[in-house]
Amino acid sequence: MTAIVQTPVTGPSFLKRLLRSPSAATGAVVVLVILFAALLAPVIAPYDPTLQETASRLMPPTAAHWLGTDAFGRDILSRLIYGARPTLLLVLIVVLLMAPLGITVGILAGFFGGVTERVLMRLTDIVMSFPRLLLAFAFVAIMGPGLINGALALALTSWPAYARQARVETAALRRSDYLAAAEMVGIKGIRLLWGHILPLILPSAVVRLALDLSGIILAAAGLGFLGLGVRPPTAEWGSMVSDGTQVIFDQWWIAATPGLAILITSLAFNLLADGLRDILDPRHG
């Protein structure tokens, strides 16, 4: 059986197609703005995010505090800017752990087949049989709250989807003339897996990853909302929403602003993922 081998879109061609996609371009711009705001937080934040001024507590938006203050008199805009840091850092850690683990398991299962495939896929099925978010909360409850523990919990419960996708694509490539020709010229083992199979399954994995980022952000906010994320007084969007729910009927802006930040960030990643799917997935375009 011969599998169709698609050449990944790279370089200037990829950038041009990305800019021509309205959804991808919009999502990329918003994501870049959020990234730069997080990186430049000490420069652009008007106040120290942990500075408490009880005389200014629960103030509505004013010229001094554009988004108002919380129950401790802390500037919400400053906390919103600094709050992007732990959220994006957690997402980065999850991505660096989740995708490589899942892709590695899927490639090994799809390429070697037999007992290797059965063992790895049964392990994948076991992890997938549990609700992902509930299992992540259980892990964090066992390991203790914190940014690293939260990232590990989300990564350990999110990799099976990548493993299943990589296994299917690797199994199809395993029977292709492309890999047969590579093996005929002496390319085998790790060199074959790393240099010839991995580049061909990366585009679809990138699309899935981009689509999953919004879910990871929501899960990270959920951990913070339940007090299982970063420890106070560190600013984090989920914990800010949790603090605001206590006074939501009188001071609605305290919960609304971090909630809006979560919404905009998730929407931006979804728009970017939609454009990447059109560019990288050969079934779209």
Side-chain angles (χ1 to χ4, degrees):
M1 178 179 178
T2 301
I4 297 176
V5 178
Q6 297 288 341
T7 302
V9 182
T10 56
S13 174
F14 172 79
L15 184 59
K16 289 179 181 179
R17 295 185 64 180
L18 181 68
L19 295 177
R20 283 201 301 264
S21 172
S23 60
T26 302
V29 169
V30 175
V31 169
L32 287 176
V33 169
I34 295 172
L35 287 174
F36 278 114
L39 291 174
L40 301 176
V43 177
I44 63 178
Y47 298 94
D48 183 340
T50 61
L51 178 63
Q52 300 183 16
E53 295 182 358
T54 54
S56 303
R57 62 189 300 270
L58 299 177
M59 287 181 56
T62 62
H65 301 279
W66 288 3
L67 296 179
T69 61
D70 64 8
F72 296 96
R74 298 173 297 195
D75 182 66
I76 293 178
L77 177 58
S78 300
R79 291 183 62 78
L80 198 68
I81 295 172
Y82 273 91
R85 287 184 157 190
T87 300
L88 295 178
L89 180 58
L90 185 144
V91 170
L92 177 62
I93 296 173
V94 172
V95 168
L96 293 178
L97 294 175
M98 170 185 68
L101 175 60
I103 291 173
T104 300
V105 170
I107 289 178
L108 293 176
F111 185 79
F112 291 107
V115 176
T116 302
E117 180 180 18
R118 287 194 292 271
V119 170
L120 292 177
M121 286 300 100
R122 294 301 78 76
L123 176 62
T124 302
D125 292 339
I126 291 172
V127 178
M128 289 193 73
S129 65
F130 293 95
R132 187 178 74 174
L133 197 56
L134 183 62
L135 189 58
F137 288 162
F139 280 155
V140 174
I142 293 172
M143 296 185 293
L147 178 67
I148 301 299
N149 289 344
L152 286 174
L154 291 175
L156 291 175
T157 56
S158 303
W159 61 267
Y162 296 85
R164 292 176 69 92
Q165 178 175 299
R167 183 194 68 83
V168 171
E169 296 185 2
T170 303
L173 287 171
R174 187 68 183 86
R175 301 186 295 271
S176 68
D177 294 339
Y178 171 73
L179 289 190
E183 291 179 329
M184 287 178 63
V185 296
I187 301 175
K188 297 181 179 180
I190 297 298
R191 185 182 172 193
L192 182 66
L193 300 179
W194 179 262
H196 291 73
I197 295 179
L198 179 61
L200 293 175
I201 67 173
L202 270 182
S204 58
V206 169
V207 172
R208 173 177 285 275
L209 182 60
L211 288 168
D212 283 349
L213 287 177
S214 60
I216 296 172
I217 290 173
L218 292 175
L223 290 174
F225 184 85
L226 296 175
L228 300 175
V230 297
R231 298 179 182 276
T234 303
E236 193 270 333
W237 292 344
S239 61
M240 290 175 66
V241 173
S242 178
D243 294 339
T245 56
Q246 302 175 22
V247 291
I248 193 170
F249 293 107
D250 298 318
Q251 289 83 25
W252 55 267
W253 59 87
I254 299 177
T257 48
L260 184 61
I262 295 170
L263 172 64
I264 292 174
T265 305
S266 300
L267 178 61
F269 278 116
N270 275 331
L271 290 174
L272 180 59
D274 183 66
L276 288 176
R277 181 191 59 187
D278 295 338
I279 296 171
L280 298 176
D281 193 332
R283 294 169 295 182
H284 297 80

